[in-house]
Amino acid sequence: MTNILVIEDEKKMSAFIQQGLEEAGHSVETAESPTLAKARFGKSKFDLIILDVMLPEMSGFDLAKEIRATSPSSIILMLTALNTTKDKIQGLDSGADDYLTKPFDLEELHARIRALLRRNSSEKSSLHNGQLEMNLLTRQVLREGIRIDLTTKEFTLLEFFMRNLDKVMDRHTIARQVWGADFDPDSNVIDVYINHLRKKIDSPYTKKILKTVVGQGYVLNKME
Ligand code: CA
């Protein structure tokens, strides 16, 4: 059973999510405000947090940052009515693992939760590519022994490439696997994140491994 906390001030929305998730066999608690959510954290441990962006007291973005700082292993699924590139990036940079745009149906929510839990329960604890290594538990990334700080989404993107070395991945596959089923593959968010990642894992080093394959997509090359 998965313990889920729903942080949402709209009672109807919160009840809809709670009922849907309980019917699917999850244990669900709800909190109507950041203050109530923090009180819940003190009492229970949650596998997954569903967090609305629009909340009283503080924004979901700021609350996600606080949750991420105190509980790095929690999975955060952000709910947003905001469907612009800037807001998506802000949500993911504040520590959310994924987001869902309102309105959504329960099937979509279930699918997203399954994907997030699966991603989290991966049995391998680290990935290696030559001198580049990722620890999936501590979330530490090293290249040639030097620590590289990645945002949550950059980490997910790198993990995706590390699991698919030397395979050219097209935009549709990257969008679906890293951002989720309803993500627009033509959005420039993918390019923005590839560039961020490249600056961190490639720019300081002689050998470049994250390549653009014009008209096809991107590939992370295997290193000896
Ligand atoms: Ca709300």
Side-chain angles (χ1 to χ4, degrees):
M1 186 156 58
T2 313
N3 287 320
I4 299 177
L5 177 64
V6 180
I7 308 173
E8 161 68 286
D9 58 318
E10 291 161 59
K11 291 204 175 76
K12 261 190 179 170
M13 175 59 85
S14 176
F16 164 75
I17 296 172
Q18 181 172 29
Q19 192 187 347
L21 294 181
E22 283 179 349
E23 279 169 5
H26 300 299
S27 161
V28 183
E29 290 185 39
T30 60
E32 287 170 28
S33 69
T35 304
L36 290 171
K38 286 175 201 170
R40 294 247 188 269
F41 287 129
K43 288 187 197 140
S44 316
K45 194 179 174 317
F46 298 99
D47 305 302
L48 188 132
I49 295 153
I50 297 177
L51 174 60
D52 190 46
V53 169
M54 305 295 282
L55 291 170
E57 301 168 19
M58 69 197 295
S59 77
F61 297 131
D62 291 333
L63 186 55
K65 279 184 202 157
E66 283 193 20
I67 296 170
R68 193 46 79 217
T70 53
S71 158
S73 63
S74 305
I75 307 170
I76 303 174
L77 174 61
M78 200 165 253
L79 300 182
T80 171
L82 314 164
N83 201 9
T84 67
T85 300
K86 185 172 161 280
D87 289 316
K88 285 174 184 171
I89 293 176
Q90 191 182 356
L92 297 169
D93 277 350
S94 63
D97 295 284
D98 203 355
Y99 63 85
L100 197 52
T101 306
K102 290 178 179 176
F104 53 85
D105 57 36
L106 279 176
E107 232 167 89
E108 210 178 344
L109 179 64
H110 288 315
R112 208 59 71 84
I113 290 175
R114 274 197 302 274
L116 284 168
L117 294 173
R118 202 167 42 230
R119 204 194 282 169
N120 214 41
S121 69
S122 154
E123 69 297 335
K124 250 180 148 183
S125 66
S126 64
L127 298 171
H128 295 263
N129 178 22
Q131 289 279 330
L132 178 63
E133 54 184 277
M134 298 182 84
N135 186 316
L136 302 176
L137 298 176
T138 63
R139 300 184 77 82
Q140 192 174 59
V141 178
L142 301 170
R143 186 166 176 184
E144 295 175 15
I146 298 163
R147 191 180 166 150
I148 301 170
D149 288 319
L150 299 181
T151 65
T152 306
K153 207 65 195 180
E154 289 164 358
F155 189 94
T156 307
L157 185 60
L158 180 60
E159 181 182 347
F160 167 75
F161 280 113
M162 290 285 273
R163 292 182 188 278
N164 292 286
L165 290 176
D166 277 344
K167 290 185 208 156
V168 177
M169 306 312 286
D170 64 50
R171 303 177 64 87
H172 283 85
T173 308
I174 297 169
R176 197 173 57 244
Q177 298 287 324
V178 178
W179 276 273
D182 69 346
F183 190 81
D184 173 12
D186 297 322
S187 150
N188 69 339
V189 170
I190 296 173
D191 312 275
V192 169
Y193 271 90
I194 293 275
N195 283 331
H196 286 170
L197 193 55
R198 201 173 256 154
K199 271 185 199 137
K200 293 180 179 180
I201 68 156
D202 252 356
S203 295
Y205 301 90
T206 317
K207 189 168 171 52
K208 311 300 178 196
I209 51 173
L210 183 53
K211 308 263 177 65
T212 303
V213 183
V214 178
Q216 292 186 55
Y218 298 99
V219 61
L220 187 69
N221 289 145
K222 208 172 199 161
M223 287 189 284
E224 290 306 315

